[in-house]
Amino acid sequence: MKLVVRVKLLPTPTQAAALEATLHACNEAATWAAQVAFDADVRRPLDLRKHTYTEIKERWKLGAQAAQHSIKKTCDAYTTLNANLRNGRYGRPGTKRHTRAAGKPITFRPEAAQPYDDRMLSWQHEQRTVSIWTTAGRMKNVAFAGQEEQLAVLAAHRRGESDLAYQNGIWYLIATCEIPEQPLNTDPVGFLGVDLGIVNIAATSDGTRHSGRSINRRREKDRALRSKLQKKGTKSAKRRAKKYAGREARRNKDINHKISKRIVAEAERTGRGIALEDLGGIRERVRLRKPQRTTLHSWPFHQLGTFLTYKAKRAGVPVVYVDAACTSQECSQCHHIDKANRPTQARFVCRSCGFVEHADHNSSHNIAHRGWIAWVRGAQSTAPALTLLT
């Protein structure tokens, strides 16, 4: 199982200047290679290397490995772009957005992340330093820092490439780690159903609710402040708006990490699996009034589901996704489905058998039931291939 560990670099001013010059050179070279790939219609690394490798080394003074990584980064970017075009992310062929995305070469920001392999980067875990290649030569004794748990994972399980990144004035190394998985529990005693929502971020079939009311009030205040700053339009206002947006994203991620950790721990303790709704396409399916749209589209449901599945995989807890249709309208006792079963957002009253329950808990019972049926029928536990450990 792959995890990504991000550690903070602590370079001196001289070291930081060398790292900045290196990123700029690598990204300038990648942007030029992307133009060549676009003009010559060459998108494979080996073919593009024949057109660009020698000039990149001579023109930008990059080492052999750095030049190859810049070329491969260009090809990977075109592969991602083509996949997004095929999947309709830029609209249908012929639309302005689709034509604009497909009709120009890719460009890279001057400080876009650059991959490093073990020939270009070495770690000294005991000293908490790295030796890293730059355009000014090999730079040694660059300090790094991070949480003890992350650093232990990094020292024991790092494999493959690491990315040098510069974000909001801070230097990072983002390393890929191969984590051994716990044996999957192939004989769960049942499933813990998890209903994801907005008023309650997550409600489980055990009766636990992770309320989102105070969080949503805080997010509404943040959105109002960002809207005010955006209307002001000055440079300082834009900087502040960006700062508040980043703060909200970090807060959401922290909340999702805590909720997913508790749910997985409970499932592992009781020997159960976890059942989740398949919410793919929910943003397109759901029709809401305008004031509600921002709340729906801004909360990272997919991130919470991803955190649940990768933490479950580490713990050997099986996870299944079930059809989300009518889980909120179906009675968990008699399975009668009726829109009138849910007279309010929080209240469920079955029109057939009279069963009364909190609406989110009723949904979570239905999800748990569907999860067990799916498991019996042979559904496989799934988890994301790559997740950021922060």
Side-chain angles (χ1 to χ4, degrees):
M1 174 183 175
K2 290 184 179 180
L3 288 179
V4 177
V5 175
R6 184 176 67 175
V7 297
K8 183 187 295 185
L9 285 181
L10 305 172
T12 65
T14 302
Q15 292 172 338
L19 293 175
E20 184 177 5
T22 300
L23 276 191
H24 286 189
C26 291
N27 286 303
E28 286 178 10
T31 297
W32 176 79
Q35 180 70 58
V36 174
F38 182 82
D39 294 338
D41 194 23
V42 177
R43 307 294 170 87
R44 294 186 178 182
L46 183 60
D47 297 332
L48 184 57
R49 195 174 299 145
K50 296 176 182 178
H51 290 76
T52 60
Y53 177 73
T54 302
E55 185 166 350
I56 285 177
K57 287 189 65 179
E58 295 175 354
R59 184 173 171 184
W60 283 279
K61 308 301 181 184
L62 300 188
Q65 294 301 112
Q68 293 191 42
H69 281 301
S70 295
I71 294 168
K72 185 176 183 299
K73 180 168 72 171
T74 298
C75 295
D76 290 344
Y78 274 114
T79 299
T80 301
L81 173 62
N82 291 334
N84 288 334
L85 290 171
R86 287 195 305 269
N87 294 333
R89 182 172 181 181
Y90 295 101
R92 291 173 296 182
T95 61
K96 289 184 179 180
R97 190 180 178 203
H98 188 281
T99 302
R100 187 166 56 248
K104 62 180 181 181
I106 287 174
T107 59
F108 294 89
R109 293 179 293 103
E111 294 169 350
Q114 175 68 14
Y116 275 71
D117 59 26
D118 287 342
R119 295 183 183 181
M120 304 167 64
L121 174 69
S122 60
W123 300 77
Q124 294 80 47
H125 293 285
E126 292 183 1
Q127 293 80 17
R128 301 278 176 91
T129 61
V130 295
S131 172
I132 187 169
W133 173 86
T134 69
T135 52
R138 191 83 175 191
M139 193 163 56
K140 299 181 179 180
N141 299 321
V142 182
F144 67 87
Q147 295 181 4
E148 291 298 327
E149 179 185 356
Q150 296 180 10
L151 297 180
V153 171
L154 180 70
H157 304 294
R158 187 191 64 81
R159 298 290 184 275
E161 297 178 355
S162 303
D163 286 349
L164 175 65
Y166 185 68
Q167 301 171 355
N168 299 322
I170 302 175
W171 289 96
Y172 295 101
L173 279 173
I174 304 172
T176 304
C177 299
E178 287 280 355
I179 306 295
E181 299 176 14
Q182 294 293 328
L184 181 67
N185 178 12
T186 58
D187 190 23
V189 298
F191 275 80
L192 180 65
V194 181
D195 178 61
L196 304 182
I198 296 174
V199 175
N200 292 304
I201 299 173
T204 70
S205 53
D206 277 352
T208 302
R209 291 199 304 272
H210 300 275
S211 177
R213 293 186 184 276
S214 60
I215 298 165
N216 289 329
R217 285 195 294 269
R218 179 71 177 272
R219 293 171 65 222
E220 287 174 4
K221 292 181 181 178
D222 288 344
R223 281 199 299 270
L225 178 58
R226 289 203 308 273
S227 177
K228 181 180 178 180
L229 293 171
Q230 288 167 356
K231 289 178 180 178
K232 193 171 183 180
T234 62
K235 289 185 178 180
S236 61
K238 290 179 180 178
R239 284 196 299 268
R240 287 188 64 192
K242 183 178 180 181
K243 177 182 178 181
Y244 283 116
R247 184 180 298 173
E248 181 178 347
R250 291 191 296 272
R251 186 192 308 124
N252 293 347
K253 180 184 288 187
D254 180 64
I255 292 167
N256 283 339
H257 267 302
K258 290 177 179 177
I259 292 174
S260 58
K261 183 177 181 179
R262 292 170 188 167
I263 292 174
V264 171
E266 180 62 20
E268 182 182 17
R269 184 185 67 82
T270 56
R272 290 177 292 176
I274 296 174
L276 298 169
E277 292 176 294
D278 182 1
L279 297 177
I282 187 174
R283 303 187 197 279
E284 291 75 26
R285 295 196 309 269
V286 175
R287 297 291 181 266
L288 296 172
R289 294 189 300 273
K290 190 172 183 179
Q292 298 174 307
R293 293 174 191 168
T294 302
T295 302
L296 173 68
H297 293 299
S298 61
W299 185 257
F301 295 105
H302 176 72
Q303 184 187 75
L304 178 54
T306 299
F307 288 172
L308 278 168
T309 49
Y310 99 80
K311 292 178 191 293
K313 192 170 184 180
R314 289 188 67 179
V317 175
V319 176
V320 295
Y321 283 86
V322 302
D323 186 3
C326 300
T327 54
S328 63
Q329 302 170 11
E330 179 183 352
C331 177
S332 59
Q333 300 299 309
C334 69
H335 302 291
H336 171 70
I337 298 176
D338 191 335
K339 288 184 179 180
N341 284 351
R342 192 168 179 176
T344 66
Q345 185 278 327
R347 185 174 174 82
F348 182 91
V349 181
C350 181
R351 300 300 179 183
S352 177
C353 69
F355 175 70
V356 179
E357 174 66 288
H358 189 283
D360 291 341
H361 288 316
N362 178 76
S363 297
S364 66
H365 288 305
N366 290 327
I367 295 167
H369 177 69
R370 295 184 187 187
W372 177 253
I373 293 175
W375 181 260
V376 171
R377 291 177 178 175
Q380 296 297 314
S381 180
T382 58
L386 197 63
T387 305
L388 184 63
L389 179 62
T390 56

